[in-house]
Amino acid sequence: MHHKIILLLLFLLLLRGISAQYYSSGADPASITWQKIDHEKFKMVFPEEFSKPARELAIFMDSIIPSIEATLNHNPGKIDILIHSHSTYSNGFVSWAPKRIELYPNPSQSNYSTDWLQQLAVHEYRHIVQIDKLNQGFTKVASWFTGQQAVGAVLGAYLPMWFIEGDAVITETTLSKSGRGRLPVFTQPLRARISHFGPDSYDKAYLFLQRFCARLLQNGVSPDSRSKKPLWNQDLGRCTR
């Protein structure tokens, strides 16, 4: 019996680290005291010294979330938002399993007139609406057995990057007085290439094309005359069947 216990302990000690998440952006200092804001739409977690900007962001999100959800006609439910204010990284991301938003509030050097954290929140929350809308039909049934991995699988299989990012760029632009859709610098590299070398292939040009393709289809309606819903609203439902 003692031999079995010793072997079990050795086995556990030899195990490599096991990750509890599909994607981890690193660890914050252990000395941080965390605070949270509970809202019906989100739970925001942030370092204590970031309390004032976090409260301002929570007020902003309370007012803007209905507009972010409107064009896809979807309520994604309550979402966790984690703010990393002890980082020089400038970005944000959405991840599934578990689903969450992580924000890095240090402003980008290529910043624009919209408040950086507000712009980031609009862009990333739109991703939440896009992806969570996939949790219907067959995908929802599959999620009863596989959890949030089912939505992640459908996302990877059916949603092109030009839609995911293009639609979010459109949203951040239409719901603000700035956004990348209004910045000449956003398309400047591609315009410079075209003027010098001629048109690029689709793969090279997709960062430019994604915004315009998404815009055209977001404003369009289904060819099915019985439905007047926007194309994206229809298509996100179809790819989950």
Side-chain angles (χ1 to χ4, degrees), residues 98-114:
K99 72 173 183 178
R100 65 196 186 278
I101 296 174
E102 297 197 27
L103 302 177
Y104 296 84
N106 186 48
S108 169
Q109 292 185 16
S110 57
N111 205 0
Y112 16 93
S113 59
T114 304

Side-chain angles (χ1 to χ4, degrees), residues 176-201:
S176 73
K177 294 182 179 180
S178 182
R180 282 170 287 180
R182 292 190 177 95
L183 294 181
V185 71
F186 186 58
T187 57
Q188 184 181 38
L190 184 62
R191 288 186 287 109
R193 281 191 58 84
I194 291 174
S195 66
H196 190 72
F197 298 108
D200 281 324
S201 67

Side-chain angles (χ1 to χ4, degrees), residues 68-79:
I68 301 174
E69 298 172 348
T71 54
L72 287 179
N73 191 30
H74 181 69
N75 175 5
K78 193 167 183 176
I79 183 73

